[in-house]
DNA sequence: GTATGTTGCTCCATCGATTGTGCAAACTGT
DNA sequence: ACAGTTTGCACAATCGATGGAGCAACATAC
């Protein structure tokens, strides 16, 4: 245990008076299949521990064309959802005896492909992809090298994907918003959908869910109620201000389609008298723990990161059809 | 580019009509030193690109006893400071052409040592450690294998460490809190320090900083003003409630010594009339973007994650004395 | 006593890249 | 024209673990 020089199976073999291949098979657990006596195995394990030996993964990986490394690429670390995923991913990978490698690529396509290539150079055993800028390019790369991969939170045509059931989540969130609207609400009693990009899969499903619930309750959902203004908080803030001016006050309900939009709303509300904003019913399709400490109720959708990751791993163990798309229900956190 | 089978230097060599060693030295950039003609190098690079070749890092690593992998272990992903660090770490590592491996160990000593061992099995080139439960054990492990390592945000005796200047940060934060106190403050006009563990390095330095500034301004700092009740938000909430009852209202100023304490404060304030809490001057020794959206000003200390990481990398390039401890000034974000 | 089977290993080629060494061919100086 | 130098590359051992093949010792069968 005190040596600085790295131990190898040859050192252990010499110390145990046996051959390197015996040590090897003891260390990798195949010794029963290779008819090594249990006594021998125990003795070798003891020596290995005593001498502070640990397998050289590079050599093993070179030989077996595997590495025990498993990759996850995501846009950034500094985001609650992504760090939730990182957490679940780490736990699951370690539970399987693999080594998680998580890399943030800043939503930059070039960085994405470079990262995928780099990871492949390490012979990673599989790759999970979250929120990639160019999913199909990544899928192509993986496919061309035979690298098993699964997309999370973002469906990629032709590749197994695990995503949140956005439509169902949006319906439940919308319902919660409607139910929280106080009956004494005067003026414009409508609910507005704010933020997101209607061309993207997630947003479009959410809009469908929102519209369905609104129509069920109010009979109709005007086009003005859906303001898919993107993810930029500054633009969202402008839209909120416009809405406020147009309505002469806050609307009855607001569906914030991302954490950024929610932040914009908070920034706007800082200057609004408390008596006013305490009457707006707010829902956010994203989770932020600080939402619970606000002076008005906020319903939030939290993605089931644990489930998403688990299902993604299951896709590795039981490879599904290439176009398999699995949906996981979101968690609705009522205020 | 279309082949599923992995390319090797032998394939490229055959295609280029040259030897594997030539290809190797072209791929790893040593070709000038080995007097390879520039034409040859270019031709080989072209072929490599064309055939979709990428170096097998396992083979390279086996040969060179390096890996290009660089590790970071931290308690959890789901925390602003840690994810900030992950972000900076990733950028810096990639800039150096290394592959960042970030692993969360849940503040569990066993998980920590197992992770360090696992990472060493991959011959990682260096290891950064943040917020470990047992720093000296980790340092011992690394030392025994000759693995370069640097501690961040936590000094470890005998190992190079980069930490935030807690005393200076606490002084500046305290000063900001004092300056924000409105002159019309009636009743108990004192500032209170809440949370943390006085036995730990970081907290003790912060308490020193706090006390210094308080004494400079008020001449004295009573022992009741320092409530180092740990990091549990529930306990902190109890202490806040006690303080509130004892003073018959909110104090003039509050120094929240961690994000958990700050959350406890927010939870408490949800039930306090707005007129009351708008007069308390709050500082938090931690950063949380949502602090900016509150209806009262909060000064925050944000650790310079970028700097911490940069300095840590510099320690790798220019190994300092084993007990080197470098301090980085914190960033004070005024409300 | 010979044939056949089982036990418990060992031998050695191999994975792909690296690098010290060797060696022709081209060039330089005289 | 011949020794000496430089240029441009090829050879082959090596890193540490793996696993198919082989082999001696012993047991069992007939």
């Amino acid at each position: 245990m005190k040596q600085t020089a790295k131990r190898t199976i040859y050192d252990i073999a010499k110390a145990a008076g046996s051959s390197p291949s015996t040590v090897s098979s003891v260390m990798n657990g195949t010794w029963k299949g290779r008819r090594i006596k249990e006594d021998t195995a125990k003795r070798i394990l003891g020596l290995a521990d005593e001498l502070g030996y640990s397998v050289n993964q590079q050599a093993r990986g070179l030989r077996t064309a595997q590495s025990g490394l498993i990759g996850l690429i995501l846009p950034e670390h500094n985001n609650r959802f992504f760090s939730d995923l990182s957490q679940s991913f780490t736990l699951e990978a370690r539970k399987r005896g693999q080594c998680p490698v998580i890399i943030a690529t800043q939503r930059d396509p070039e960085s994405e492909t470079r990262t995928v290539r780099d990871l492949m150079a390490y012979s990673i055993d599989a790759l999970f992809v979250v929120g990639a800028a160019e999913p199909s390019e990544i899928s192509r790369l993986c496919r061309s090298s035979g690298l098993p991969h699964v997309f999370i939170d973002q469906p990629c045509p032709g590749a197994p994907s695990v995503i949140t059931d956005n439509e169902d989540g949006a319906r439940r969130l919308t319902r919660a918003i409607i139910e929280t609207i106080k009956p004494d609400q005067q003026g414009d009693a409508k609910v507005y959908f704010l933020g997101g990009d209607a061309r993207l899969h997630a947003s479009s499903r959410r809009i469908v869910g929102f519209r369905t619930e609104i129509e069920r309750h109010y009979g109709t959902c005007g086009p003005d109620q859906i303001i898919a203004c993107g993810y930029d908080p500054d633009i969202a803030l402008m839209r909120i201000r416009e809405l406020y001016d147009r309505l002469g006050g806050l609307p009855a309900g607001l569906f914030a389609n991302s954490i950024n939009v929610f932040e914009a709303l908070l920034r706007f509300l800082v200057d609004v008298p408390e008596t006013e904003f305490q009457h707006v019913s707010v829902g956010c399709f994203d989770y932020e723990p600080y939402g619970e400490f606000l002076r008005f109720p906020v319903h939030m959708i939290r993605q089931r990161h644990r489930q998403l990751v688990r299902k993604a791993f299951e896709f590795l163990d039981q490879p599904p059809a290439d176009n398999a798309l699995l949906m996981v229900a979101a968690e609705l956190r009522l205020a």
Side-chain angles (χ1 to χ4, degrees), chain A:
Chain A
M1 269 278 225
K2 51 183 181 293
Q3 287 298 331
T4 274
K6 287 239 177 184
R7 306 302 199 159
T8 73
I9 50 170
Y10 301 94
D11 299 329
I12 310 300
K14 200 168 293 174
S18 66
S19 81
S21 63
T22 301
V23 176
S24 170
S25 79
V26 167
M27 296 314 298
N28 65 33
T30 60
W31 55 275
K32 276 184 185 163
R34 283 178 76 87
R35 296 186 314 226
I36 306 293
K37 241 198 303 185
E38 184 153 5
D39 288 357
T40 313
K42 275 188 187 160
R43 189 162 43 88
I44 288 179
L45 282 175
L47 272 171
D49 190 46
E50 198 177 312
L51 298 177
Y53 169 80
S54 70
V55 174
N56 182 327
Q57 292 282 1
Q58 316 230 33
R60 170 179 288 179
L62 174 58
R63 194 54 234 263
T64 62
Q66 290 199 342
S67 65
L69 299 172
I70 182 159
L72 169 66
I73 77 178
L74 36 74
E76 46 168 337
H77 287 290
N78 204 341
N79 170 299
R80 280 244 143 69
F81 174 53
F82 296 142
S83 60
D84 276 344
L85 279 178
S86 296
Q87 196 74 27
S88 296
F89 174 70
T90 300
L91 291 176
E92 205 68 25
R94 304 243 73 203
K95 197 186 291 173
R96 294 161 54 108
Q98 293 181 294
C99 182
V101 180
I102 307 169
I103 300 198
T105 53
Q106 327 300 324
R107 306 181 198 279
D108 170 28
E110 260 196 72
S111 178
E112 282 174 9
T113 57
R114 205 165 53 82
T115 301
V116 173
R117 276 183 209 284
D118 284 0
L119 289 176
M120 291 194 313
Y122 284 100
S123 306
I124 55 169
D125 298 338
L127 178 65
F128 293 162
V129 183
V130 184
E134 285 187 1
S136 46
E137 172 62 14
I138 293 179
S139 182
R140 206 186 54 72
L141 261 175
C142 294
R143 197 172 300 279
S144 81
S145 296
L147 175 62
H149 57 295
V150 179
F151 284 81
I152 297 180
D153 187 40
Q154 169 192 45
C156 177
S161 315
V162 182
I163 65 174
T164 290
D165 189 337
N166 285 292
E167 181 175 344
D168 174 68
R171 290 181 59 157
R172 289 194 288 144
L173 182 59
T174 307
R175 222 175 299 149
I177 295 171
I178 292 171
E179 280 166 10
T180 307
I181 292 178
K182 303 227 174 93
D184 62 341
Q185 177 71 25
Q186 75 284 45
D188 189 277
K190 289 197 281 191
V191 182
Y192 291 81
F193 181 101
L194 204 68
D197 183 341
R199 290 163 307 183
L200 295 184
H201 179 273
S203 285
S204 76
R205 300 321 301 162
R206 292 177 195 173
I207 290 174
V208 168
F210 174 79
R211 197 192 302 273
T212 307
E213 250 356 86
I214 294 293
E215 285 173 351
R216 239 168 52 91
H217 249 83
Y218 299 94
T220 170
C221 176
D224 63 312
Q225 285 176 257
I226 295 178
I227 309 172
C229 57
Y231 295 100
D232 183 328
D234 293 328
I235 293 180
L237 182 55
M238 276 173 49
R239 293 286 168 278
I240 294 173
R241 197 159 290 154
E242 281 170 20
L243 189 64
Y244 185 83
D245 292 344
R246 180 154 68 83
L247 303 181
L250 288 166
L254 257 173
F255 183 120
N257 186 30
S258 90
I259 197 68
N260 302 32
V261 172
F262 183 64
E263 287 186 12
L265 177 62
L266 291 186
R267 241 193 290 164
F268 180 76
L269 292 184
V270 164
D271 299 324
V272 171
E274 182 155 4
T275 48
E276 265 191 60
F277 70 68
Q278 282 195 331
H279 286 281
V280 63
S281 172
V282 176
C284 175
F285 205 110
D286 245 333
Y287 175 67
E288 168 54 56
Y290 277 75
E292 292 169 11
F293 307 135
L294 297 174
R295 294 177 70 81
F296 59 96
V298 182
H299 306 297
M300 290 178 283
I301 285 286
R302 185 174 195 180
Q303 300 207 52
R304 290 213 157 85
H305 51 96
R306 195 68 192 267
Q307 291 280 342
L308 291 169
V309 168
R310 276 217 194 104
K311 296 296 180 189
F313 271 102
E314 282 175 18
F315 269 2
L316 289 189
D317 296 330
Q318 293 157 20
D322 274 353
N323 51 1
L325 191 145
L326 186 73
M327 290 217 269
V328 170
E331 177 190 7
L332 175 59
R333 299 178 72 111
L334 293 173

